[in-house]
Each structure stands twice: as structure tokens, then as C-alpha cells.
Amino acid sequence: VQLQASGGGLVEAGGSLTLSCEVSGSTSDRLHIGWYRQAPGEQREMIAAIGKNGVTNYRPSVKGRFNISRDDNKNTVYLQMASLKSEDSAIYYCTAASNPFEVLKGTGIWGRGTLVTVSS
């Protein structure tokens, strides 16, 4: 299984951005998928996850601003980000696993990250 994250870029504070995580080598409907981010000098943190059944959970700091969704017909999971703040600047990674706990623990498969920079 391989994951490819894309959609990062430079956006002004208050703006929006949508990230995509494309799954290859398997069908995404078999996988639980999460988005993590890592800012310079900080630990990687989970910000959103979506189960095979569509159940979602979010880090409190992004709840209400970020929305994770999946389109298994396209083998892709999305992270819609709105009302972006400078503290949202980070490299964003997606991870996947057949077991949801591996996604929550960060021990699943990882793709390369995509950089999000929010200018204030």
C-alpha cells in the first residue's frame, strides 16, 4: 500500500485549503485513514481520522474548522481545512492501517507529507 498526500501550499490566515491522500496498492475502503501534522521543532500530532465505516474524530484544536471525508470510488481521503491560522502551518501526512488503533497510535503506513504554510 502506498499513500500520496497532495494539496499543500501557501494560504493567508483565515483562508481554506483541501488536502488529498490517494491510496494505491489497495482499495481505500479496507483502510482506516488519518491525517497528522508536524510543525518545525514539534512532535507529529494526529489531527483527524476516518474509519472504514466513515466515523470521524478530530483533534480539539481543529474541530469545527477541519473536515475529513473519504471517496472510496477514487481511493482518496480528503482534509478540508478552513479558517486557517498560522499555528496550522506544518507538514501534513496521511497514514493508513487496517486496524484503527494503528492509525491512532501512528504505527500504520505513512506517505510523504505535503507542506501547508499559513501566512498571518
Side-chain angles (χ1 to χ4, degrees):
V1 177
Q2 291 186 322
L3 307 174
Q4 179 65 55
S6 62
L10 174 64
V11 62
E12 291 185 352
S16 302
L17 209 57
T18 296
L19 306 183
S20 301
C21 175
E22 185 174 358
V23 177
S24 60
S26 178
T27 52
S28 61
D29 60 359
R30 298 182 178 186
L31 301 170
H32 302 272
I33 297 178
W35 283 97
Y36 280 68
R37 68 185 179 191
Q38 186 169 21
E42 302 289 334
Q43 288 190 333
R44 194 175 293 190
E45 60 184 17
M46 195 197 82
I47 52 172
I50 187 165
K52 288 188 285 188
N53 57 4
V55 173
T56 60
N57 64 70
Y58 297 90
R59 188 175 195 83
S61 61
V62 306
K63 200 168 186 179
R65 299 190 297 122
F66 290 11
N67 182 66
I68 188 170
S69 61
R70 61 193 303 153
D71 184 344
D72 291 327
N73 291 322
K74 296 182 178 179
N75 278 341
T76 301
V77 168
Y78 303 96
L79 184 69
Q80 296 170 288
M81 306 184 293
S83 302
L84 284 162
K85 307 175 182 179
S86 57
E87 51 262 44
D88 294 319
S89 296
I91 299 174
Y92 283 69
Y93 300 87
C94 56
T95 181
S98 56
N99 184 317
F101 298 107
E102 289 186 63
V103 171
L104 297 177
K105 291 190 299 182
T107 56
I109 297 166
W110 291 90
R112 289 187 176 183
T114 184
L115 177 64
V116 173
T117 303
V118 183
S119 64
S120 56

